[in-house]
Amino acid sequence: MLTGDINLDGQVSVSDAVLLQKYLIKSGKLSADQADRADLNQDGVLNAYDLVLLKQTIQNK
């Protein structure tokens, strides 16, 4: 499992951040596997902090 790879394409990219952002504003849905990958801080809750961590991960590539 690649943490942050929300769209399951094998890489962590802006597309993953877009999916998480849509989920957070209640404009999209995630499967259980996608939600697991989106929980970057592994606290069991998807929130803006996970989005920040995902964006930092993308920026540091």
Short mmCIF file of all heavy atoms in Angstrom, two decimals:
data_model
loop_
_atom_site.label_atom_id
_atom_site.label_comp_id
_atom_site.label_asym_id
_atom_site.label_seq_id
_atom_site.Cartn_x
_atom_site.Cartn_y
_atom_site.Cartn_z
N MET A 1 0.84 -1.19 0.00
CA MET A 1 0.00 0.00 0.00
C MET A 1 0.88 1.24 0.00
O MET A 1 1.80 1.35 0.80
CB MET A 1 -0.89 0.00 1.24
CG MET A 1 -1.74 1.24 1.33
SD MET A 1 -2.88 1.29 2.70
CE MET A 1 -1.84 1.97 3.97
N LEU A 2 0.58 2.16 -0.89
CA LEU A 2 1.32 3.41 -0.98
C LEU A 2 0.49 4.51 -0.33
O LEU A 2 -0.53 4.95 -0.87
CB LEU A 2 1.62 3.74 -2.45
CG LEU A 2 2.37 5.04 -2.74
CD1 LEU A 2 3.73 5.05 -2.03
CD2 LEU A 2 2.56 5.20 -4.23
N THR A 3 0.89 4.92 0.86
CA THR A 3 0.16 5.96 1.58
C THR A 3 0.15 7.25 0.76
O THR A 3 1.18 7.69 0.26
CB THR A 3 0.82 6.23 2.95
OG1 THR A 3 0.84 5.00 3.68
CG2 THR A 3 0.05 7.27 3.73
N GLY A 4 -1.03 7.82 0.59
CA GLY A 4 -1.18 9.04 -0.20
C GLY A 4 -1.66 8.78 -1.61
O GLY A 4 -2.15 9.69 -2.28
N ASP A 5 -1.55 7.54 -2.08
CA ASP A 5 -1.99 7.19 -3.44
C ASP A 5 -3.50 6.89 -3.40
O ASP A 5 -3.93 5.76 -3.44
CB ASP A 5 -1.22 5.97 -3.95
CG ASP A 5 -1.66 5.55 -5.34
OD1 ASP A 5 -2.24 6.38 -6.07
OD2 ASP A 5 -1.45 4.37 -5.68
N ILE A 6 -4.27 7.94 -3.34
CA ILE A 6 -5.71 7.82 -3.14
C ILE A 6 -6.43 7.33 -4.40
O ILE A 6 -7.41 6.60 -4.32
CB ILE A 6 -6.31 9.16 -2.65
CG1 ILE A 6 -5.61 9.56 -1.34
CG2 ILE A 6 -7.81 9.06 -2.43
CD1 ILE A 6 -5.86 10.98 -0.92
N ASN A 7 -5.95 7.72 -5.56
CA ASN A 7 -6.60 7.28 -6.80
C ASN A 7 -6.08 5.93 -7.30
O ASN A 7 -6.49 5.46 -8.36
CB ASN A 7 -6.50 8.35 -7.89
CG ASN A 7 -5.09 8.59 -8.38
OD1 ASN A 7 -4.14 7.98 -7.91
ND2 ASN A 7 -4.96 9.52 -9.30
N LEU A 8 -5.20 5.33 -6.53
CA LEU A 8 -4.71 3.96 -6.78
C LEU A 8 -4.00 3.79 -8.12
O LEU A 8 -4.08 2.75 -8.76
CB LEU A 8 -5.86 2.95 -6.68
CG LEU A 8 -6.74 3.06 -5.43
CD1 LEU A 8 -7.93 2.13 -5.52
CD2 LEU A 8 -5.94 2.82 -4.17
N ASP A 9 -3.25 4.83 -8.54
CA ASP A 9 -2.54 4.73 -9.81
C ASP A 9 -1.05 4.43 -9.64
O ASP A 9 -0.30 4.43 -10.60
CB ASP A 9 -2.72 6.01 -10.64
CG ASP A 9 -2.03 7.23 -10.05
OD1 ASP A 9 -1.53 7.15 -8.89
OD2 ASP A 9 -1.99 8.28 -10.72
N GLY A 10 -0.63 4.17 -8.41
CA GLY A 10 0.76 3.79 -8.17
C GLY A 10 1.70 4.94 -7.88
O GLY A 10 2.90 4.72 -7.71
N GLN A 11 1.18 6.16 -7.81
CA GLN A 11 2.02 7.31 -7.47
C GLN A 11 1.23 8.33 -6.68
O GLN A 11 0.01 8.36 -6.75
CB GLN A 11 2.61 7.93 -8.73
CG GLN A 11 1.59 8.32 -9.78
CD GLN A 11 2.26 8.72 -11.08
OE1 GLN A 11 3.33 9.32 -11.06
NE2 GLN A 11 1.65 8.41 -12.19
N VAL A 12 1.95 9.14 -5.92
CA VAL A 12 1.32 10.20 -5.13
C VAL A 12 1.47 11.49 -5.92
O VAL A 12 2.59 11.90 -6.25
CB VAL A 12 1.98 10.32 -3.74
CG1 VAL A 12 1.35 11.44 -2.94
CG2 VAL A 12 1.87 9.00 -3.00
N SER A 13 0.32 12.10 -6.27
CA SER A 13 0.37 13.29 -7.12
C SER A 13 -0.77 14.24 -6.78
O SER A 13 -1.58 13.98 -5.88
CB SER A 13 0.26 12.86 -8.59
OG SER A 13 -1.02 12.29 -8.83
N VAL A 14 -0.84 15.32 -7.53
CA VAL A 14 -1.88 16.33 -7.33
C VAL A 14 -3.27 15.72 -7.48
O VAL A 14 -4.21 16.12 -6.80
CB VAL A 14 -1.68 17.51 -8.32
CG1 VAL A 14 -2.82 18.49 -8.25
CG2 VAL A 14 -0.36 18.21 -8.03
N SER A 15 -3.41 14.73 -8.32
CA SER A 15 -4.71 14.05 -8.50
C SER A 15 -5.21 13.47 -7.18
O SER A 15 -6.40 13.51 -6.89
CB SER A 15 -4.60 12.93 -9.53
OG SER A 15 -4.21 13.42 -10.77
N ASP A 16 -4.30 12.97 -6.38
CA ASP A 16 -4.67 12.41 -5.08
C ASP A 16 -5.14 13.52 -4.14
O ASP A 16 -6.12 13.35 -3.41
CB ASP A 16 -3.49 11.66 -4.47
CG ASP A 16 -3.04 10.51 -5.35
OD1 ASP A 16 -3.86 9.61 -5.62
OD2 ASP A 16 -1.87 10.51 -5.77
N ALA A 17 -4.46 14.65 -4.18
CA ALA A 17 -4.86 15.79 -3.34
C ALA A 17 -6.24 16.30 -3.73
O ALA A 17 -7.05 16.65 -2.87
CB ALA A 17 -3.82 16.90 -3.45
N VAL A 18 -6.52 16.31 -5.02
CA VAL A 18 -7.84 16.76 -5.50
C VAL A 18 -8.93 15.82 -4.98
O VAL A 18 -9.98 16.28 -4.50
CB VAL A 18 -7.86 16.85 -7.04
CG1 VAL A 18 -9.28 17.06 -7.56
CG2 VAL A 18 -6.94 17.96 -7.52
N LEU A 19 -8.69 14.52 -5.04
CA LEU A 19 -9.67 13.56 -4.53
C LEU A 19 -9.93 13.75 -3.04
O LEU A 19 -11.08 13.74 -2.60
CB LEU A 19 -9.20 12.13 -4.78
CG LEU A 19 -9.37 11.58 -6.17
CD1 LEU A 19 -8.79 10.18 -6.26
CD2 LEU A 19 -10.83 11.56 -6.58
N LEU A 20 -8.87 13.93 -2.26
CA LEU A 20 -9.03 14.13 -0.82
C LEU A 20 -9.76 15.44 -0.53
O LEU A 20 -10.65 15.49 0.32
CB LEU A 20 -7.68 14.10 -0.11
CG LEU A 20 -7.72 14.27 1.40
CD1 LEU A 20 -8.68 13.28 2.07
CD2 LEU A 20 -6.32 14.16 1.98
N GLN A 21 -9.42 16.47 -1.26
CA GLN A 21 -10.08 17.76 -1.06
C GLN A 21 -11.58 17.65 -1.36
O GLN A 21 -12.41 18.15 -0.60
CB GLN A 21 -9.44 18.82 -1.93
CG GLN A 21 -9.98 20.21 -1.68
CD GLN A 21 -9.17 21.27 -2.40
OE1 GLN A 21 -7.97 21.12 -2.60
NE2 GLN A 21 -9.82 22.34 -2.77
N LYS A 22 -11.92 16.98 -2.44
CA LYS A 22 -13.33 16.79 -2.78
C LYS A 22 -14.06 16.02 -1.69
O LYS A 22 -15.19 16.33 -1.33
CB LYS A 22 -13.49 16.06 -4.12
CG LYS A 22 -13.21 16.94 -5.31
CD LYS A 22 -13.43 16.18 -6.61
CE LYS A 22 -13.22 17.07 -7.80
NZ LYS A 22 -13.48 16.37 -9.06
N TYR A 23 -13.40 15.00 -1.14
CA TYR A 23 -14.00 14.23 -0.06
C TYR A 23 -14.23 15.12 1.17
O TYR A 23 -15.30 15.07 1.79
CB TYR A 23 -13.10 13.05 0.31
CG TYR A 23 -13.56 12.33 1.54
CD1 TYR A 23 -14.58 11.38 1.46
CD2 TYR A 23 -13.01 12.60 2.78
CE1 TYR A 23 -15.04 10.73 2.60
CE2 TYR A 23 -13.45 11.95 3.92
CZ TYR A 23 -14.46 11.02 3.82
OH TYR A 23 -14.91 10.38 4.95
N LEU A 24 -13.25 15.93 1.49
CA LEU A 24 -13.35 16.77 2.69
C LEU A 24 -14.44 17.83 2.58
O LEU A 24 -15.01 18.23 3.60
CB LEU A 24 -12.00 17.42 2.99
CG LEU A 24 -10.89 16.47 3.42
CD1 LEU A 24 -9.57 17.21 3.56
CD2 LEU A 24 -11.25 15.74 4.70
N ILE A 25 -14.74 18.29 1.37
CA ILE A 25 -15.81 19.29 1.21
C ILE A 25 -17.14 18.61 0.86
O ILE A 25 -18.07 19.27 0.42
CB ILE A 25 -15.45 20.37 0.18
CG1 ILE A 25 -15.26 19.79 -1.21
CG2 ILE A 25 -14.24 21.16 0.62
CD1 ILE A 25 -15.15 20.83 -2.31
N LYS A 26 -17.18 17.29 1.06
CA LYS A 26 -18.41 16.51 0.84
C LYS A 26 -18.87 16.52 -0.62
O LYS A 26 -20.05 16.44 -0.91
CB LYS A 26 -19.55 17.00 1.73
CG LYS A 26 -19.19 17.19 3.18
CD LYS A 26 -19.21 15.88 3.91
CE LYS A 26 -19.13 16.12 5.41
NZ LYS A 26 -18.03 15.59 6.07
N SER A 27 -17.90 16.59 -1.54
CA SER A 27 -18.21 16.60 -2.95
C SER A 27 -17.76 15.31 -3.64
O SER A 27 -17.85 15.19 -4.85
CB SER A 27 -17.53 17.81 -3.60
OG SER A 27 -17.75 17.85 -4.98
N GLY A 28 -17.26 14.37 -2.87
CA GLY A 28 -16.80 13.11 -3.43
C GLY A 28 -16.80 12.02 -2.38
O GLY A 28 -16.96 12.29 -1.18
N LYS A 29 -16.63 10.80 -2.83
CA LYS A 29 -16.61 9.65 -1.93
C LYS A 29 -15.31 8.89 -2.11
O LYS A 29 -14.68 8.94 -3.17
CB LYS A 29 -17.80 8.74 -2.22
CG LYS A 29 -19.13 9.40 -1.98
CD LYS A 29 -20.26 8.40 -2.12
CE LYS A 29 -21.56 9.15 -1.98
NZ LYS A 29 -22.31 8.77 -0.84
N LEU A 30 -14.93 8.18 -1.06
CA LEU A 30 -13.73 7.34 -1.10
C LEU A 30 -14.11 5.93 -0.65
O LEU A 30 -14.92 5.77 0.26
CB LEU A 30 -12.65 7.88 -0.16
CG LEU A 30 -12.09 9.26 -0.44
CD1 LEU A 30 -11.08 9.64 0.64
CD2 LEU A 30 -11.44 9.34 -1.81
N SER A 31 -13.50 4.94 -1.28
CA SER A 31 -13.68 3.56 -0.82
C SER A 31 -12.90 3.39 0.48
O SER A 31 -12.10 4.25 0.86
CB SER A 31 -13.16 2.59 -1.88
OG SER A 31 -11.74 2.67 -1.96
N ALA A 32 -13.10 2.28 1.14
CA ALA A 32 -12.38 2.00 2.39
C ALA A 32 -10.87 1.98 2.15
O ALA A 32 -10.09 2.52 2.95
CB ALA A 32 -12.85 0.70 2.99
N ASP A 33 -10.44 1.39 1.03
CA ASP A 33 -9.01 1.33 0.71
C ASP A 33 -8.47 2.73 0.44
O ASP A 33 -7.38 3.09 0.90
CB ASP A 33 -8.78 0.43 -0.50
CG ASP A 33 -7.30 0.18 -0.77
OD1 ASP A 33 -6.52 0.10 0.21
OD2 ASP A 33 -6.92 0.06 -1.95
N GLN A 34 -9.22 3.54 -0.30
CA GLN A 34 -8.79 4.91 -0.58
C GLN A 34 -8.70 5.72 0.71
O GLN A 34 -7.75 6.48 0.91
CB GLN A 34 -9.75 5.59 -1.55
CG GLN A 34 -9.66 5.06 -2.97
CD GLN A 34 -10.73 5.66 -3.85
OE1 GLN A 34 -11.91 5.62 -3.53
NE2 GLN A 34 -10.30 6.23 -4.96
N ALA A 35 -9.68 5.58 1.58
CA ALA A 35 -9.68 6.31 2.84
C ALA A 35 -8.48 5.90 3.69
O ALA A 35 -7.86 6.75 4.34
CB ALA A 35 -10.99 6.07 3.59
N ASP A 36 -8.15 4.63 3.67
CA ASP A 36 -6.99 4.15 4.42
C ASP A 36 -5.71 4.79 3.91
O ASP A 36 -4.86 5.21 4.69
CB ASP A 36 -6.92 2.63 4.30
CG ASP A 36 -6.18 1.98 5.43
OD1 ASP A 36 -6.25 2.50 6.56
OD2 ASP A 36 -5.55 0.94 5.19
N ARG A 37 -5.58 4.91 2.61
CA ARG A 37 -4.40 5.53 2.01
C ARG A 37 -4.37 7.03 2.23
O ARG A 37 -3.31 7.64 2.23
CB ARG A 37 -4.36 5.23 0.51
CG ARG A 37 -4.10 3.78 0.19
CD ARG A 37 -4.35 3.51 -1.28
NE ARG A 37 -4.18 2.11 -1.59
CZ ARG A 37 -3.19 1.62 -2.32
NH1 ARG A 37 -2.29 2.42 -2.83
NH2 ARG A 37 -3.11 0.33 -2.56
N ALA A 38 -5.55 7.64 2.39
CA ALA A 38 -5.65 9.09 2.56
C ALA A 38 -5.34 9.53 3.99
O ALA A 38 -5.07 10.71 4.23
CB ALA A 38 -7.05 9.56 2.18
N ASP A 39 -5.37 8.61 4.94
CA ASP A 39 -5.12 8.94 6.35
C ASP A 39 -3.62 8.98 6.60
O ASP A 39 -3.04 8.07 7.18
CB ASP A 39 -5.82 7.92 7.24
CG ASP A 39 -5.76 8.30 8.71
OD1 ASP A 39 -5.39 9.44 9.03
OD2 ASP A 39 -6.10 7.44 9.54
N LEU A 40 -2.98 10.05 6.16
CA LEU A 40 -1.53 10.13 6.20
C LEU A 40 -0.94 10.11 7.60
O LEU A 40 0.14 9.60 7.81
CB LEU A 40 -1.04 11.37 5.45
CG LEU A 40 -0.83 11.12 3.95
CD1 LEU A 40 -2.13 11.08 3.20
CD2 LEU A 40 0.12 12.10 3.37
N ASN A 41 -1.64 10.66 8.58
CA ASN A 41 -1.11 10.65 9.94
C ASN A 41 -1.59 9.45 10.75
O ASN A 41 -1.28 9.34 11.93
CB ASN A 41 -1.40 11.96 10.67
CG ASN A 41 -2.87 12.21 10.87
OD1 ASN A 41 -3.73 11.48 10.35
ND2 ASN A 41 -3.19 13.24 11.62
N GLN A 42 -2.36 8.57 10.12
CA GLN A 42 -2.80 7.31 10.71
C GLN A 42 -3.52 7.48 12.05
O GLN A 42 -3.31 6.71 12.97
CB GLN A 42 -1.61 6.36 10.88
CG GLN A 42 -0.94 5.97 9.57
CD GLN A 42 -1.85 5.17 8.65
OE1 GLN A 42 -2.30 4.12 9.05
NE2 GLN A 42 -2.09 5.65 7.46
N ASP A 43 -4.38 8.51 12.13
CA ASP A 43 -5.15 8.72 13.36
C ASP A 43 -6.59 8.23 13.24
O ASP A 43 -7.39 8.39 14.16
CB ASP A 43 -5.11 10.17 13.80
CG ASP A 43 -5.84 11.12 12.84
OD1 ASP A 43 -6.25 10.68 11.75
OD2 ASP A 43 -5.96 12.30 13.18
N GLY A 44 -6.94 7.65 12.10
CA GLY A 44 -8.28 7.12 11.90
C GLY A 44 -9.31 8.14 11.49
O GLY A 44 -10.49 7.82 11.36
N VAL A 45 -8.88 9.38 11.26
CA VAL A 45 -9.80 10.46 10.89
C VAL A 45 -9.24 11.16 9.65
O VAL A 45 -8.06 11.50 9.61
CB VAL A 45 -9.93 11.50 12.03
CG1 VAL A 45 -10.84 12.64 11.63
CG2 VAL A 45 -10.42 10.83 13.30
N LEU A 46 -10.10 11.37 8.65
CA LEU A 46 -9.68 12.14 7.48
C LEU A 46 -10.07 13.58 7.69
O LEU A 46 -11.25 13.89 7.91
CB LEU A 46 -10.34 11.60 6.21
CG LEU A 46 -9.90 10.21 5.77
CD1 LEU A 46 -10.63 9.82 4.50
CD2 LEU A 46 -8.40 10.16 5.56
N ASN A 47 -9.08 14.47 7.63
CA ASN A 47 -9.36 15.89 7.84
C ASN A 47 -8.32 16.73 7.09
O ASN A 47 -7.50 16.20 6.35
CB ASN A 47 -9.40 16.22 9.33
CG ASN A 47 -8.15 15.81 10.08
OD1 ASN A 47 -7.06 15.81 9.52
ND2 ASN A 47 -8.30 15.46 11.33
N ALA A 48 -8.39 18.04 7.30
CA ALA A 48 -7.51 18.97 6.60
C ALA A 48 -6.04 18.70 6.91
O ALA A 48 -5.17 18.96 6.06
CB ALA A 48 -7.87 20.40 6.95
N TYR A 49 -5.74 18.16 8.08
CA TYR A 49 -4.35 17.86 8.41
C TYR A 49 -3.79 16.81 7.46
O TYR A 49 -2.64 16.91 7.02
CB TYR A 49 -4.24 17.41 9.86
CG TYR A 49 -2.81 17.30 10.32
CD1 TYR A 49 -1.96 18.42 10.36
CD2 TYR A 49 -2.27 16.08 10.70
CE1 TYR A 49 -0.65 18.32 10.75
CE2 TYR A 49 -0.95 15.97 11.10
CZ TYR A 49 -0.14 17.09 11.12
OH TYR A 49 1.17 16.99 11.51
N ASP A 50 -4.60 15.82 7.11
CA ASP A 50 -4.15 14.81 6.14
C ASP A 50 -3.89 15.45 4.78
O ASP A 50 -2.93 15.10 4.10
CB ASP A 50 -5.20 13.70 6.00
CG ASP A 50 -5.35 12.91 7.28
OD1 ASP A 50 -4.37 12.30 7.73
OD2 ASP A 50 -6.45 12.92 7.85
N LEU A 51 -4.73 16.40 4.41
CA LEU A 51 -4.53 17.10 3.13
C LEU A 51 -3.23 17.90 3.14
O LEU A 51 -2.48 17.90 2.17
CB LEU A 51 -5.73 18.01 2.83
CG LEU A 51 -5.70 18.76 1.51
CD1 LEU A 51 -5.61 17.80 0.32
CD2 LEU A 51 -6.92 19.65 1.38
N VAL A 52 -2.93 18.56 4.25
CA VAL A 52 -1.68 19.31 4.38
C VAL A 52 -0.49 18.37 4.25
O VAL A 52 0.47 18.66 3.52
CB VAL A 52 -1.64 20.08 5.72
CG1 VAL A 52 -0.24 20.63 6.00
CG2 VAL A 52 -2.66 21.20 5.73
N LEU A 53 -0.54 17.24 4.94
CA LEU A 53 0.56 16.27 4.85
C LEU A 53 0.72 15.73 3.44
O LEU A 53 1.85 15.55 2.96
CB LEU A 53 0.32 15.12 5.83
CG LEU A 53 0.43 15.47 7.31
CD1 LEU A 53 0.02 14.27 8.17
CD2 LEU A 53 1.83 15.91 7.66
N LEU A 54 -0.41 15.50 2.77
CA LEU A 54 -0.35 15.02 1.38
C LEU A 54 0.28 16.06 0.47
O LEU A 54 1.15 15.74 -0.35
CB LEU A 54 -1.75 14.65 0.90
CG LEU A 54 -1.86 14.12 -0.52
CD1 LEU A 54 -0.98 12.90 -0.75
CD2 LEU A 54 -3.31 13.80 -0.86
N LYS A 55 -0.11 17.31 0.64
CA LYS A 55 0.47 18.38 -0.19
C LYS A 55 1.96 18.54 0.08
O LYS A 55 2.74 18.76 -0.85
CB LYS A 55 -0.27 19.69 0.04
CG LYS A 55 -1.65 19.70 -0.57
CD LYS A 55 -2.34 21.03 -0.34
CE LYS A 55 -3.68 21.07 -1.03
NZ LYS A 55 -4.35 22.38 -0.88
N GLN A 56 2.39 18.39 1.33
CA GLN A 56 3.81 18.45 1.66
C GLN A 56 4.56 17.30 1.00
O GLN A 56 5.67 17.48 0.49
CB GLN A 56 4.01 18.41 3.18
CG GLN A 56 3.63 19.70 3.87
CD GLN A 56 3.77 19.61 5.37
OE1 GLN A 56 3.85 18.52 5.94
NE2 GLN A 56 3.77 20.76 6.03
N THR A 57 3.96 16.12 1.01
CA THR A 57 4.57 14.96 0.39
C THR A 57 4.77 15.20 -1.11
O THR A 57 5.84 14.91 -1.66
CB THR A 57 3.70 13.71 0.61
OG1 THR A 57 3.57 13.46 2.00
CG2 THR A 57 4.28 12.48 -0.08
N ILE A 58 3.75 15.75 -1.75
CA ILE A 58 3.82 16.02 -3.19
C ILE A 58 4.88 17.08 -3.47
O ILE A 58 5.68 16.95 -4.41
CB ILE A 58 2.46 16.46 -3.73
CG1 ILE A 58 1.46 15.29 -3.62
CG2 ILE A 58 2.56 16.98 -5.15
CD1 ILE A 58 0.01 15.70 -3.78
N GLN A 59 4.90 18.12 -2.66
CA GLN A 59 5.85 19.22 -2.87
C GLN A 59 7.29 18.77 -2.68
O GLN A 59 8.18 19.27 -3.36
CB GLN A 59 5.53 20.36 -1.89
CG GLN A 59 6.33 21.60 -2.10
CD GLN A 59 5.92 22.71 -1.16
OE1 GLN A 59 5.47 22.45 -0.05
NE2 GLN A 59 6.09 23.93 -1.61
N ASN A 60 7.52 17.83 -1.78
CA ASN A 60 8.89 17.38 -1.49
C ASN A 60 9.40 16.30 -2.44
O ASN A 60 10.50 15.78 -2.23
CB ASN A 60 8.97 16.88 -0.04
CG ASN A 60 8.80 18.01 0.96
OD1 ASN A 60 9.13 19.15 0.67
ND2 ASN A 60 8.24 17.69 2.10
N LYS A 61 8.64 15.97 -3.45
CA LYS A 61 9.06 14.95 -4.41
C LYS A 61 10.14 15.47 -5.31
O LYS A 61 10.25 16.57 -5.65
CB LYS A 61 7.86 14.49 -5.24
CG LYS A 61 6.99 13.52 -4.50
CD LYS A 61 5.83 13.16 -5.36
CE LYS A 61 6.10 11.82 -5.99
NZ LYS A 61 5.00 11.38 -6.82
#
